[in-house]
Amino acid sequence: MIVTINNLQRGLRPKIGLALSGGGLRGISHIGVLKALNDHNIPIDYIAGTSAGAIVATMYACGYSPQQMQAVIHDIDIPNLIDLKVTSADLFKHGFKWLMSGKFRFWSVLPTGLIKGEKIENLLAKLWHQRTIRETKIPLAITAVDIISADTVFFTSPLPPNRAIPNARYYHNALLYEAVRASISIPGVFFPKKYRGMTLVDGAVKNNLPTDILNHMGANKIIAIDLGYSGQPNYETNSVGEILMHCIEIMGREVTLIKSEQYADIIIRPQAYDLNQKNLSQANEFIKRGYHATINKMNEIRDLLL
């Protein structure tokens, strides 16, 4: 059967879907994965991403080459993208409000995140302007979670008929930069993204490795790149943000394992936990780790096309 998505025909050859997980700055490793696949002429017919994976997946779906992505990474100044909502004065104010209110839940008077995310959203808008998810060169899916309904939210290219995932909503006309901003909204760190009455947070809360949506989009074979937590000791939990991020990774581990085994034909896990995950100084090393992890699986990947 020939399926048409985003005005592109997907014919009889086994169609390859690529799922890119979240993982903070480890997500840079996805660029190396894409470079290895490109170098060996492995076609990507569908691509999906969560959180950091959503950024890379969207860039690739819009036509950015791995080399162009690498150039973008080197031009980013992370400190200039952090628009803190909470200052020391704010903490004092909220603490005083908590004491005067007679409440015993200090967290109840704090804002919904530490970082507003407006600067990051502006950067994403510069990358994709007003392009919508219908206008990508490769069919794309981006995941988020509505904390009001607990539904998974998929921003996707139009799906084939009668394909749906339970407890999920689908949006096919979203602006790319808004969808990605929602997907990277780490709870407690970024302000949630408000969208059509929903309060959206990081897709990793429910679906860090979005292989299921690729299956529903029509992929016959799925390659999954898992940068999530896999049981390694983590001693970098020295702040509220780091603790929250690690808790999300721990909670998502079992879900990821179940879904990846069900839908993925190949799972690649680049080893990058030993690298500095607080700045971009080791961006090239992240890319190399992704590249070599993919090369090590290349014979299996080629077999998917047979």
mmCIF file of all heavy atoms in Angstrom, residues 247-282:
data_model
loop_
_atom_site.group_PDB
_atom_site.id
_atom_site.type_symbol
_atom_site.label_atom_id
_atom_site.label_comp_id
_atom_site.label_asym_id
_atom_site.label_seq_id
_atom_site.Cartn_x
_atom_site.Cartn_y
_atom_site.Cartn_z
ATOM 1 N N CYS A 247 15.020 12.396 38.423
ATOM 2 C CA CYS A 247 13.804 11.675 38.834
ATOM 3 C C CYS A 247 12.947 11.321 37.626
ATOM 4 O O CYS A 247 12.402 10.209 37.535
ATOM 5 C CB CYS A 247 12.995 12.510 39.825
ATOM 6 S SG CYS A 247 13.691 12.571 41.492
ATOM 7 N N ILE A 248 12.819 12.263 36.695
ATOM 8 C CA ILE A 248 12.045 11.998 35.480
ATOM 9 C C ILE A 248 12.683 10.867 34.684
ATOM 10 O O ILE A 248 12.002 9.975 34.168
ATOM 11 C CB ILE A 248 11.932 13.271 34.626
ATOM 12 C CG1 ILE A 248 11.071 14.307 35.345
ATOM 13 C CG2 ILE A 248 11.350 12.965 33.252
ATOM 14 C CD1 ILE A 248 11.093 15.663 34.694
ATOM 15 N N GLU A 249 14.016 10.877 34.594
ATOM 16 C CA GLU A 249 14.702 9.822 33.862
ATOM 17 C C GLU A 249 14.485 8.460 34.514
ATOM 18 O O GLU A 249 14.268 7.456 33.826
ATOM 19 C CB GLU A 249 16.197 10.132 33.777
ATOM 20 C CG GLU A 249 16.530 11.285 32.842
ATOM 21 C CD GLU A 249 18.020 11.479 32.689
ATOM 22 O OE1 GLU A 249 18.744 11.325 33.690
ATOM 23 O OE2 GLU A 249 18.462 11.769 31.565
ATOM 24 N N ILE A 250 14.543 8.420 35.830
ATOM 25 C CA ILE A 250 14.338 7.151 36.541
ATOM 26 C C ILE A 250 12.921 6.636 36.307
ATOM 27 O O ILE A 250 12.709 5.458 36.004
ATOM 28 C CB ILE A 250 14.610 7.316 38.046
ATOM 29 C CG1 ILE A 250 16.115 7.583 38.280
ATOM 30 C CG2 ILE A 250 14.171 6.081 38.818
ATOM 31 C CD1 ILE A 250 16.443 7.978 39.702
ATOM 32 N N MET A 251 11.940 7.532 36.439
ATOM 33 C CA MET A 251 10.547 7.121 36.270
ATOM 34 C C MET A 251 10.267 6.657 34.840
ATOM 35 O O MET A 251 9.461 5.749 34.615
ATOM 36 C CB MET A 251 9.612 8.271 36.639
ATOM 37 C CG MET A 251 9.586 8.584 38.128
ATOM 38 S SD MET A 251 8.339 9.824 38.566
ATOM 39 C CE MET A 251 9.025 11.294 37.809
ATOM 40 N N GLY A 252 10.930 7.286 33.894
ATOM 41 C CA GLY A 252 10.674 6.946 32.503
ATOM 42 C C GLY A 252 11.403 5.710 32.011
ATOM 43 O O GLY A 252 11.104 5.197 30.932
ATOM 44 N N ARG A 253 12.341 5.208 32.798
ATOM 45 C CA ARG A 253 13.177 4.098 32.337
ATOM 46 C C ARG A 253 12.359 2.849 32.010
ATOM 47 O O ARG A 253 12.499 2.261 30.943
ATOM 48 C CB ARG A 253 14.229 3.774 33.398
ATOM 49 C CG ARG A 253 15.174 2.657 32.981
ATOM 50 C CD ARG A 253 16.112 2.292 34.107
ATOM 51 N NE ARG A 253 17.013 1.218 33.717
ATOM 52 C CZ ARG A 253 17.760 0.544 34.567
ATOM 53 N NH1 ARG A 253 17.726 0.830 35.854
ATOM 54 N NH2 ARG A 253 18.546 -0.422 34.147
ATOM 55 N N GLU A 254 11.469 2.444 32.929
ATOM 56 C CA GLU A 254 10.719 1.212 32.715
ATOM 57 C C GLU A 254 9.762 1.355 31.534
ATOM 58 O O GLU A 254 9.594 0.430 30.734
ATOM 59 C CB GLU A 254 9.933 0.845 33.987
ATOM 60 C CG GLU A 254 10.816 0.521 35.182
ATOM 61 C CD GLU A 254 11.752 -0.647 34.929
ATOM 62 O OE1 GLU A 254 11.324 -1.612 34.255
ATOM 63 O OE2 GLU A 254 12.909 -0.601 35.380
ATOM 64 N N VAL A 255 9.127 2.531 31.420
ATOM 65 C CA VAL A 255 8.214 2.755 30.296
ATOM 66 C C VAL A 255 8.977 2.673 28.984
ATOM 67 O O VAL A 255 8.518 2.067 28.003
ATOM 68 C CB VAL A 255 7.509 4.117 30.427
ATOM 69 C CG1 VAL A 255 6.656 4.404 29.202
ATOM 70 C CG2 VAL A 255 6.658 4.151 31.691
ATOM 71 N N THR A 256 10.154 3.270 28.952
ATOM 72 C CA THR A 256 10.963 3.248 27.742
ATOM 73 C C THR A 256 11.332 1.828 27.353
ATOM 74 O O THR A 256 11.252 1.444 26.183
ATOM 75 C CB THR A 256 12.241 4.091 27.944
ATOM 76 O OG1 THR A 256 11.879 5.458 28.109
ATOM 77 C CG2 THR A 256 13.165 3.973 26.741
ATOM 78 N N LEU A 257 11.724 1.028 28.322
ATOM 79 C CA LEU A 257 12.108 -0.350 28.023
ATOM 80 C C LEU A 257 10.937 -1.140 27.444
ATOM 81 O O LEU A 257 11.082 -1.897 26.488
ATOM 82 C CB LEU A 257 12.638 -1.029 29.292
ATOM 83 C CG LEU A 257 13.992 -0.539 29.800
ATOM 84 C CD1 LEU A 257 14.318 -1.185 31.145
ATOM 85 C CD2 LEU A 257 15.093 -0.843 28.791
ATOM 86 N N ILE A 258 9.759 -0.963 28.017
ATOM 87 C CA ILE A 258 8.586 -1.686 27.537
ATOM 88 C C ILE A 258 8.237 -1.273 26.115
ATOM 89 O O ILE A 258 8.027 -2.117 25.230
ATOM 90 C CB ILE A 258 7.384 -1.450 28.475
ATOM 91 C CG1 ILE A 258 7.642 -2.095 29.842
ATOM 92 C CG2 ILE A 258 6.105 -2.001 27.851
ATOM 93 C CD1 ILE A 258 6.618 -1.726 30.891
ATOM 94 N N LYS A 259 8.191 0.036 25.867
ATOM 95 C CA LYS A 259 7.795 0.517 24.547
ATOM 96 C C LYS A 259 8.852 0.212 23.496
ATOM 97 O O LYS A 259 8.530 -0.152 22.358
ATOM 98 C CB LYS A 259 7.524 2.020 24.599
ATOM 99 C CG LYS A 259 6.222 2.378 25.295
ATOM 100 C CD LYS A 259 5.906 3.848 25.138
ATOM 101 C CE LYS A 259 4.550 4.185 25.754
ATOM 102 N NZ LYS A 259 4.192 5.591 25.586
ATOM 103 N N SER A 260 10.117 0.360 23.866
ATOM 104 C CA SER A 260 11.166 0.125 22.883
ATOM 105 C C SER A 260 11.201 -1.330 22.458
ATOM 106 O O SER A 260 11.404 -1.651 21.284
ATOM 107 C CB SER A 260 12.532 0.555 23.441
ATOM 108 O OG SER A 260 12.877 -0.219 24.588
ATOM 109 N N GLU A 261 10.987 -2.242 23.393
ATOM 110 C CA GLU A 261 10.974 -3.660 23.042
ATOM 111 C C GLU A 261 9.780 -3.998 22.160
ATOM 112 O O GLU A 261 9.852 -4.881 21.302
ATOM 113 C CB GLU A 261 10.947 -4.508 24.321
ATOM 114 C CG GLU A 261 12.253 -4.481 25.093
ATOM 115 C CD GLU A 261 12.186 -5.299 26.372
ATOM 116 O OE1 GLU A 261 11.116 -5.858 26.652
ATOM 117 O OE2 GLU A 261 13.202 -5.375 27.070
ATOM 118 N N GLN A 262 8.683 -3.296 22.357
ATOM 119 C CA GLN A 262 7.476 -3.591 21.590
ATOM 120 C C GLN A 262 7.560 -3.080 20.157
ATOM 121 O O GLN A 262 7.100 -3.751 19.223
ATOM 122 C CB GLN A 262 6.252 -2.980 22.278
ATOM 123 C CG GLN A 262 4.937 -3.256 21.558
ATOM 124 C CD GLN A 262 3.741 -2.676 22.293
ATOM 125 O OE1 GLN A 262 3.879 -2.085 23.356
ATOM 126 N NE2 GLN A 262 2.563 -2.839 21.715
ATOM 127 N N TYR A 263 8.146 -1.900 19.954
ATOM 128 C CA TYR A 263 8.078 -1.261 18.648
ATOM 129 C C TYR A 263 9.412 -1.156 17.908
ATOM 130 O O TYR A 263 9.416 -1.068 16.681
ATOM 131 C CB TYR A 263 7.491 0.146 18.789
ATOM 132 C CG TYR A 263 6.041 0.160 19.209
ATOM 133 C CD1 TYR A 263 5.683 0.489 20.509
ATOM 134 C CD2 TYR A 263 5.031 -0.164 18.305
ATOM 135 C CE1 TYR A 263 4.350 0.504 20.900
ATOM 136 C CE2 TYR A 263 3.694 -0.156 18.683
ATOM 137 C CZ TYR A 263 3.357 0.180 19.992
ATOM 138 O OH TYR A 263 2.053 0.190 20.367
ATOM 139 N N ALA A 264 10.518 -1.111 18.621
ATOM 140 C CA ALA A 264 11.799 -0.865 17.960
ATOM 141 C C ALA A 264 12.422 -2.156 17.447
ATOM 142 O O ALA A 264 12.424 -3.176 18.134
ATOM 143 C CB ALA A 264 12.760 -0.172 18.923
ATOM 144 N N ASP A 265 12.952 -2.104 16.233
ATOM 145 C CA ASP A 265 13.688 -3.238 15.680
ATOM 146 C C ASP A 265 15.148 -3.189 16.078
ATOM 147 O O ASP A 265 15.790 -4.226 16.240
ATOM 148 C CB ASP A 265 13.554 -3.223 14.154
ATOM 149 C CG ASP A 265 12.120 -3.418 13.703
ATOM 150 O OD1 ASP A 265 11.678 -4.577 13.657
ATOM 151 O OD2 ASP A 265 11.437 -2.401 13.434
ATOM 152 N N ILE A 266 15.675 -1.978 16.227
ATOM 153 C CA ILE A 266 17.065 -1.789 16.669
ATOM 154 C C ILE A 266 17.085 -0.660 17.689
ATOM 155 O O ILE A 266 16.477 0.391 17.464
ATOM 156 C CB ILE A 266 17.988 -1.434 15.483
ATOM 157 C CG1 ILE A 266 18.086 -2.610 14.506
ATOM 158 C CG2 ILE A 266 19.380 -1.041 15.974
ATOM 159 C CD1 ILE A 266 18.864 -2.293 13.255
ATOM 160 N N ILE A 267 17.781 -0.883 18.793
ATOM 161 C CA ILE A 267 17.942 0.161 19.809
ATOM 162 C C ILE A 267 19.425 0.487 19.921
ATOM 163 O O ILE A 267 20.257 -0.408 20.121
ATOM 164 C CB ILE A 267 17.414 -0.295 21.180
ATOM 165 C CG1 ILE A 267 15.944 -0.704 21.076
ATOM 166 C CG2 ILE A 267 17.574 0.823 22.215
ATOM 167 C CD1 ILE A 267 15.396 -1.340 22.337
ATOM 168 N N ILE A 268 19.750 1.755 19.778
ATOM 169 C CA ILE A 268 21.134 2.218 19.885
ATOM 170 C C ILE A 268 21.231 3.093 21.129
ATOM 171 O O ILE A 268 20.430 4.017 21.305
ATOM 172 C CB ILE A 268 21.554 3.003 18.635
ATOM 173 C CG1 ILE A 268 21.413 2.121 17.387
ATOM 174 C CG2 ILE A 268 22.988 3.518 18.772
ATOM 175 C CD1 ILE A 268 21.644 2.854 16.085
ATOM 176 N N ARG A 269 22.210 2.800 21.968
ATOM 177 C CA ARG A 269 22.380 3.557 23.210
ATOM 178 C C ARG A 269 23.790 4.153 23.274
ATOM 179 O O ARG A 269 24.696 3.557 23.857
ATOM 180 C CB ARG A 269 22.118 2.659 24.421
ATOM 181 C CG ARG A 269 20.663 2.183 24.526
ATOM 182 C CD ARG A 269 20.397 1.451 25.828
ATOM 183 N NE ARG A 269 18.976 1.198 25.998
ATOM 184 C CZ ARG A 269 18.370 0.060 25.651
ATOM 185 N NH1 ARG A 269 19.088 -0.928 25.100
ATOM 186 N NH2 ARG A 269 17.077 -0.099 25.844
ATOM 187 N N PRO A 270 24.000 5.311 22.669
ATOM 188 C CA PRO A 270 25.321 5.959 22.763
ATOM 189 C C PRO A 270 25.690 6.213 24.223
ATOM 190 O O PRO A 270 24.865 6.674 25.011
ATOM 191 C CB PRO A 270 25.115 7.280 22.007
ATOM 192 C CG PRO A 270 23.959 7.009 21.088
ATOM 193 C CD PRO A 270 23.056 6.085 21.843
ATOM 194 N N GLN A 271 26.903 5.896 24.582
ATOM 195 C CA GLN A 271 27.365 6.068 25.955
ATOM 196 C C GLN A 271 27.944 7.473 26.125
ATOM 197 O O GLN A 271 29.005 7.773 25.583
ATOM 198 C CB GLN A 271 28.406 5.007 26.307
ATOM 199 C CG GLN A 271 27.871 3.584 26.213
ATOM 200 C CD GLN A 271 26.639 3.367 27.078
ATOM 201 O OE1 GLN A 271 26.653 3.641 28.280
ATOM 202 N NE2 GLN A 271 25.558 2.878 26.468
ATOM 203 N N ALA A 272 27.227 8.324 26.836
ATOM 204 C CA ALA A 272 27.661 9.723 26.967
ATOM 205 C C ALA A 272 27.523 10.243 28.391
ATOM 206 O O ALA A 272 27.675 11.442 28.630
ATOM 207 C CB ALA A 272 26.869 10.599 26.013
ATOM 208 N N TYR A 273 27.236 9.369 29.341
ATOM 209 C CA TYR A 273 27.029 9.826 30.710
ATOM 210 C C TYR A 273 28.305 10.347 31.368
ATOM 211 O O TYR A 273 28.240 11.084 32.345
ATOM 212 C CB TYR A 273 26.428 8.707 31.570
ATOM 213 C CG TYR A 273 24.926 8.841 31.743
ATOM 214 C CD1 TYR A 273 24.055 8.283 30.821
ATOM 215 C CD2 TYR A 273 24.387 9.551 32.803
ATOM 216 C CE1 TYR A 273 22.687 8.413 30.947
ATOM 217 C CE2 TYR A 273 23.014 9.692 32.940
ATOM 218 C CZ TYR A 273 22.166 9.117 32.018
ATOM 219 O OH TYR A 273 20.818 9.263 32.157
ATOM 220 N N ASP A 274 29.461 9.961 30.842
ATOM 221 C CA ASP A 274 30.718 10.403 31.446
ATOM 222 C C ASP A 274 31.141 11.786 30.959
ATOM 223 O O ASP A 274 32.108 12.359 31.472
ATOM 224 C CB ASP A 274 31.833 9.403 31.146
ATOM 225 C CG ASP A 274 32.052 9.226 29.648
ATOM 226 O OD1 ASP A 274 31.053 9.036 28.927
ATOM 227 O OD2 ASP A 274 33.215 9.270 29.206
ATOM 228 N N LEU A 275 30.422 12.346 29.994
ATOM 229 C CA LEU A 275 30.793 13.656 29.445
ATOM 230 C C LEU A 275 30.133 14.780 30.230
ATOM 231 O O LEU A 275 29.130 14.589 30.908
ATOM 232 C CB LEU A 275 30.371 13.740 27.976
ATOM 233 C CG LEU A 275 31.001 12.697 27.040
ATOM 234 C CD1 LEU A 275 30.470 12.874 25.622
ATOM 235 C CD2 LEU A 275 32.519 12.795 27.058
ATOM 236 N N ASN A 276 30.704 15.970 30.114
ATOM 237 C CA ASN A 276 30.181 17.150 30.797
ATOM 238 C C ASN A 276 28.831 17.531 30.204
ATOM 239 O O ASN A 276 28.731 17.865 29.027
ATOM 240 C CB ASN A 276 31.166 18.316 30.644
ATOM 241 C CG ASN A 276 30.772 19.520 31.478
ATOM 242 O OD1 ASN A 276 29.610 19.715 31.806
ATOM 243 N ND2 ASN A 276 31.757 20.329 31.832
ATOM 244 N N GLN A 277 27.794 17.480 31.022
ATOM 245 C CA GLN A 277 26.440 17.742 30.548
ATOM 246 C C GLN A 277 25.913 19.101 30.995
ATOM 247 O O GLN A 277 24.701 19.334 30.998
ATOM 248 C CB GLN A 277 25.513 16.627 31.041
ATOM 249 C CG GLN A 277 25.898 15.267 30.489
ATOM 250 C CD GLN A 277 25.130 14.134 31.106
ATOM 251 O OE1 GLN A 277 23.934 14.244 31.327
ATOM 252 N NE2 GLN A 277 25.818 13.035 31.400
ATOM 253 N N LYS A 278 26.815 20.006 31.359
ATOM 254 C CA LYS A 278 26.398 21.321 31.830
ATOM 255 C C LYS A 278 26.758 22.444 30.873
ATOM 256 O O LYS A 278 26.339 23.576 31.067
ATOM 257 C CB LYS A 278 26.996 21.597 33.210
ATOM 258 C CG LYS A 278 26.494 20.628 34.285
ATOM 259 C CD LYS A 278 27.064 20.950 35.644
ATOM 260 C CE LYS A 278 26.540 19.993 36.710
ATOM 261 N NZ LYS A 278 27.084 20.275 38.052
ATOM 262 N N ASN A 279 27.577 22.156 29.861
ATOM 263 C CA ASN A 279 27.883 23.157 28.847
ATOM 264 C C ASN A 279 28.205 22.458 27.538
ATOM 265 O O ASN A 279 28.210 21.222 27.467
ATOM 266 C CB ASN A 279 29.026 24.078 29.296
ATOM 267 C CG ASN A 279 30.315 23.301 29.552
ATOM 268 O OD1 ASN A 279 30.826 22.620 28.661
ATOM 269 N ND2 ASN A 279 30.844 23.402 30.758
ATOM 270 N N LEU A 280 28.468 23.230 26.511
ATOM 271 C CA LEU A 280 28.663 22.675 25.174
ATOM 272 C C LEU A 280 30.130 22.438 24.833
ATOM 273 O O LEU A 280 30.468 22.214 23.672
ATOM 274 C CB LEU A 280 28.048 23.622 24.140
ATOM 275 C CG LEU A 280 26.521 23.777 24.197
ATOM 276 C CD1 LEU A 280 26.063 24.845 23.217
ATOM 277 C CD2 LEU A 280 25.841 22.459 23.911
ATOM 278 N N SER A 281 31.009 22.441 25.822
ATOM 279 C CA SER A 281 32.433 22.313 25.550
ATOM 280 C C SER A 281 32.796 20.973 24.920
ATOM 281 O O SER A 281 33.810 20.859 24.235
ATOM 282 C CB SER A 281 33.243 22.515 26.842
ATOM 283 O OG SER A 281 32.920 21.510 27.796
ATOM 284 N N GLN A 282 31.976 19.957 25.160
ATOM 285 C CA GLN A 282 32.272 18.638 24.611
ATOM 286 C C GLN A 282 31.260 18.229 23.537
ATOM 287 O O GLN A 282 31.010 17.041 23.316
ATOM 288 C CB GLN A 282 32.297 17.592 25.732
ATOM 289 C CG GLN A 282 33.479 17.776 26.695
ATOM 290 C CD GLN A 282 33.597 16.639 27.692
ATOM 291 O OE1 GLN A 282 32.758 16.487 28.559
ATOM 292 N NE2 GLN A 282 34.640 15.840 27.546
#
